[in-house]
Amino acid sequence: MKVLFISDNRCRDNLVPFPLGIACVASATAQAGHEISCLDLMFSRDPAADTVERIRAFRPDCVGLSLRNIDNQDKYAGEFYPPAAREIADAVRSETSAPVVLGGAGFTIFPAECLEYMDVEMGIVGEGERSFVALLERLEPGAAVDDTPGLALRRDGGVRVNPPGPHAWPGLFPPPERRLFDVTRYDWKPDNDHPFVANLQSRRGCHLRCIYCSSPTVEGRVIRVREAGAVADELASLQWDFGIGTAAFVDSLFNYPAQYTRELCREIVARKVSLRWIANLNPLYCDPATMEMMREAGCVSLSIGNESGSEDVLESLKKGFSREQVISAVKGARDLGFRINCFLLLGGPGENEATVKESVELMEELGPDMVSVTVGIRIYPGCELHDIALREGVIEPGQNLLYPAFYISPETESWLYPYMREVCDAHAGWNL
Ligand code: B12
């Protein structure tokens, strides 16, 4: 079959990300014998017209449309992306009767809501490598698709979502094909001097139970690691074949399982690359020996997911680590010379003036290079925060959360945002 993949993401917050998810699914699709074409609308001046033009040129039998972001998770300066995505689905439909299949992280969190909003019949929830190829196998001979694992199907006024089937162990699939897109167009910030930042993934899944986080919904709770040598090869190839200077691991938990992280670092060292890389660490698993090996392997910058500096709030967010562990993670990272980015996710259940003060003071004391601050927490289905918000009347039963809703504790709602604006303005490297 001829399959056109379209990346709908046009958000440039933080960076211009290489469409890694599509690159993974497209590689698996090509490996299964299909002909593929990819279009990233990030660089498009007229996305609908470019979509139509590509469809005329390629004549696809199926169109995969990836929805990474639904919104920018900002309670105070919100952006909502589905209307623009809907225009793309409409443009596809205006040119071809080939089926449109939605997929991606945003879609996975809101499958029924996205299908309804975009008036599309089907999508793949979760990892696309196995399920999307299974769907194509059914579409090609015109067979019934209903039993496809991970399929969300909108029919007869309702949406049915099939269980995803066994996890697609990342190692079973080819690495994401970088040549599907022009890697030189992706960077950390459109106007800085870090050219060609590439993202890559060494593992999927998160077993933690943070009350607000949708990552387990997107990636699953079981951690699956890729073969360490293959990941190191991919990293080396980014430097040698594509001239990438900096790579960013997208793994939420780069330091878990630690044994695998250390094996990966050894493999990277053996490749003798000079490329620098960055990763996300959870304070729960920050042991100095692993961090030292990361440094030796070229890691220069760490995002440490502390989210708070208050013992009470860490507990109510169910972060699973203590304030002491945050302190020792940040100090340990600083001793090893890493550039450090910490986070404050403020306004969750139990947040009050004293806990905010504790968090701000801890960040001042530890002095990371950057502090990324968020006020108000986006409510996602399937998370414990969703139940809390329902109980407290913040949202109503059945509320469509595709339209962003946020939790902010009653004790902080009236003052926290302007207060944190002032705090951030007064501290270099703090961003709200
Ligand atoms: C790493 C990450 C970041 C990094 C990106 C680093 C980089 N260099 O790429 C940083 C921190 C910079 C970031 C920023 C943002 N992020 Co972010 N990010 C993630 C994270 C943790 C992983 C994304 C990733 O690359 N995964 C690896 C790839 C391989 O997986 P994937 O894209 O999901 O693709 C798989 C499936 O989805 C599926 N699939 C994908 N496309 C398609 C297409 C078809 C047709 C099919 C069938 C299947 C399919 O198959 C793929 C392979 O299995 C996710 C959460 C998560 N755990 O997934 C959030 C996530 C995607 N981010 C999110 C958001 C909101 C943002 C920001 C808007 C936040 C902000 N305000 O700054 C920005 C936007 C950045 C941008 N310009 O687009 C949200 C999106 C949900 C929403 N509310 O919209 C997520 C889901 C986190 C969350 N809160 O739930 N992010």
Side-chain angles (χ1 to χ4, degrees), residues 336-410:
L336 287 163
F338 286 105
R339 189 178 155 73
I340 303 164
N341 183 18
C342 282
F343 296 82
L344 290 180
L345 182 57
L346 301 174
E351 192 85 81
N352 56 41
E353 203 179 328
T355 59
V356 170
K357 207 165 160 242
E358 256 184 292
S359 286
V360 169
E361 283 175 3
L362 183 64
M363 290 299 102
E364 287 173 337
E365 190 187 314
L366 295 174
D369 301 277
M370 280 173 67
V371 180
S372 303
V373 180
T374 305
V375 173
I377 309 183
R378 170 72 152 108
I379 302 167
Y380 287 110
C383 298
E384 200 181 325
L385 185 64
H386 181 250
D387 304 335
I388 296 172
L390 269 177
R391 261 198 321 272
E392 295 186 11
V394 177
I395 54 169
E396 287 169 10
Q399 184 168 330
N400 184 349
L401 293 173
L402 185 71
Y403 301 96
F406 295 84
Y407 185 96
I408 181 146
S409 71

Side-chain angles (χ1 to χ4, degrees), residues 12 25-26 43 51 140 148 161 212 264 362 395 408-409:
R12 287 175 179 249
V25 183
F43 308 106
T51 301
E140 192 156 25
T148 311
V161 181
Y212 56 85
L264 177 55
L362 183 64
I395 54 169
I408 181 146
S409 71

Side-chain angles (χ1 to χ4, degrees), residues 228-277:
V231 178
D233 284 343
E234 191 182 338
L235 190 76
S237 155
L238 289 174
Q239 178 180 340
W240 296 331
D241 302 329
F242 298 97
I244 301 284
T246 314
F249 279 96
V250 298
D251 314 11
S252 316
L253 280 177
F254 189 84
N255 51 342
Y256 183 86
Q259 204 185 346
Y260 171 74
T261 306
R262 291 198 287 264
E263 188 191 339
L264 177 55
C265 289
R266 277 191 289 272
E267 291 290 344
I268 296 172
V269 168
R271 302 299 182 281
K272 300 194 184 341
V273 287
S274 60
L275 165 152
R276 310 285 84 179
W277 50 277

Side-chain angles (χ1 to χ4, degrees), residues 5-23:
F5 288 96
I6 303 177
S7 176
D8 172 65
N9 186 19
R10 280 158 268 167
C11 166
R12 287 175 179 249
D13 288 3
N14 280 312
L15 79 165
V16 179
F18 177 86
L20 190 61
I22 284 198

Side-chain angles (χ1 to χ4, degrees), residues 9 11 14 66 70-73 128-129 199 214-215 219 380:
N9 186 19
C11 166
N14 280 312
S66 183
I70 299 300
D71 62 296
N72 62 349
Q73 293 187 142
E129 288 93 340
N199 42 12
S214 62
S215 271
E219 297 189 11
Y380 287 110

